[in-house]
Amino acid sequence: MADFFWFSDEQWSRIEPLLPCDTRGIPRVDDRRVLSGIVHALKSGGRWGDCPEHVYGPKKTLYNRFRRWADKGVWERIFSDLAGIEGVPSKLFIDSSCIKVHRTAGGAKGALAHGIGTTKGGRNTKLHAVCDDKGRPHVLLLTPGNTHDAKVAMLAINAVPPSQYLVADKGYNSNALRLWLMERGTTPVIPSKSNRKVQIDHDRAIYRQRNVIERMFCRFKDWRRVATRFDRNIKTFMATIAIAALVTWWL
C-alpha cells in the first residue's frame, strides 16, 4: 500500500461523519476504499482505469461516485465544513493562480461558463483563493483565466466573516476594494502601484507574510489533476480542487 493513497484512521474519523447518509436502495460500496481511490486518481493524475482494482475496486465505481457527488456539491460542502471549524483567523490572504487547460477539456461548448478563458499562454482557468496565515484555504473560486483578480475579490472575501487584516498584492490595488474592506472592519494590507499618484502606506511586516499563499498554490499543484485541468465541466473540476484542499490541509 506504500505507493497508493489510503485514508488513515485519524483522517477517516474526521471525514466519515460528513459523508451523505441519505442512501436509498442498495447500500454504497465501502466508502473508505472508494474515496481513497478517488484521491489516488486525482493526486497521481492517471486515468481512472489506472487505479488498481485489487486496492480500490472497479474504476467505474470510483468515477461514478466522484462525478455524482461533484454534481450534488458534496465535495465542496465537506471542504466548507472542515474549513469552518476553527472560525475566522485574524489575517486572511487573497491571490490567484492560472491552471493550464488540457486539450481534452478545452472543446466543451460554453467554455466561459465552465471557467475556461483564452490568455497569451493559451486556454486557462484561474483559481482564486483566500487562505489563513498557516496557508490553509478557506475560500476557493474558479473563473476563466483572463478574469482580473480585483473583479472577483469582493465575492471571494465576502464568503467568510470579516478578518482583522486582508493581505493582497498590487493587483488588488483598488479604491473600491479598500473602502469596502474598511467598511467591513478589515484593515487592507495592499501595496500601491508605482504609478499611483497618492501612495497609500501598508503594514510591511504583515505583507512579508504573503508568501504563505504562494506556497499554498505550489502544494495545490503537487496534485497533477489540479496542475493541469482535464475536466470539461466546472463542477467536476471544482470537486477536484475541493478534494485536494480538504485532504492536504483540513484532514
Side-chain angles (χ1 to χ4, degrees):
M1 295 289 291
D3 295 330
F4 307 121
F5 178 86
W6 195 266
F7 283 103
S8 68
D9 291 342
E10 182 182 356
Q11 290 174 324
W12 192 246
S13 68
R14 296 186 65 191
I15 194 173
E16 187 177 23
L18 302 175
L19 302 181
C21 55
D22 57 349
T23 304
R24 297 180 181 178
I26 301 175
R28 291 199 303 259
V29 178
D30 180 51
D31 284 330
R32 189 171 182 177
R33 184 184 189 188
V34 172
L35 268 62
S36 295
I38 291 170
V39 172
H40 174 76
L42 301 181
K43 202 168 187 179
S44 66
R47 299 171 300 176
W48 291 98
D50 293 332
C51 293
E53 189 167 334
H54 68 281
V55 178
Y56 300 122
K59 64 179 181 180
K60 187 175 182 181
T61 301
L62 302 182
Y63 180 72
N64 286 347
R65 179 79 63 85
F66 170 68
R67 280 298 307 270
R68 186 163 59 248
W69 284 11
D71 290 340
K72 292 181 179 179
V74 172
W75 305 113
E76 294 175 65
R77 179 186 57 76
I78 295 174
F79 160 71
S80 297
D81 288 346
L82 289 171
I85 288 174
E86 296 187 15
V88 183
S90 61
K91 293 189 288 287
L92 287 174
F93 302 77
I94 186 170
D95 205 351
S96 68
S97 181
C98 282
I99 297 171
K100 188 72 175 178
V101 176
H102 193 269
R103 62 179 178 81
T104 57
K109 293 182 178 180
L112 288 176
H114 286 280
I116 299 174
T118 303
T119 66
K120 291 182 179 179
R123 290 178 176 177
N124 283 275
T125 290
K126 185 174 282 191
L127 172 61
H128 304 262
V130 176
C131 79
D132 60 24
D133 55 4
K134 295 180 181 178
R136 301 176 301 184
H138 287 251
V139 179
L140 298 166
L141 180 67
L142 294 174
T143 67
N146 53 358
T147 303
H148 195 282
D149 292 344
K151 289 185 176 181
V152 296
M154 293 183 189
L155 179 64
I157 298 166
N158 202 39
V160 289
S163 59
Q164 186 177 355
Y165 298 98
L166 188 285
V167 187
D169 64 18
K170 294 180 181 180
Y172 296 87
N173 178 40
S174 158
N175 290 335
L177 177 60
R178 289 176 187 275
L179 179 60
W180 180 76
L181 286 169
M182 289 187 288
E183 288 175 347
R184 277 169 57 93
T186 299
T187 301
V189 183
I190 307 172
S192 300
K193 291 184 178 179
S194 57
N195 61 352
R196 189 182 183 107
K197 292 182 179 180
V198 180
Q199 295 286 305
I200 299 176
D201 196 19
H202 64 281
D203 191 316
R204 297 178 185 273
I206 293 179
Y207 185 74
R208 281 196 291 269
Q209 301 173 32
R210 202 188 67 84
N211 62 80
V212 298
I213 197 165
E214 302 291 351
R215 298 200 305 269
M216 182 206 70
F217 283 122
C218 289
R219 292 191 68 189
F220 255 126
K221 292 185 179 182
D222 286 339
W223 289 59
R224 293 187 179 181
R225 281 185 173 266
V226 174
T228 302
R229 176 177 173 174
F230 294 95
D231 302 297
R232 289 190 179 97
N233 189 288
I234 192 169
K235 284 188 176 181
T236 308
F237 189 54
M238 189 67 237
T240 299
I241 298 291
I243 292 171
L246 69 91
V247 170
T248 304
W249 288 280
W250 294 107
L251 291 180

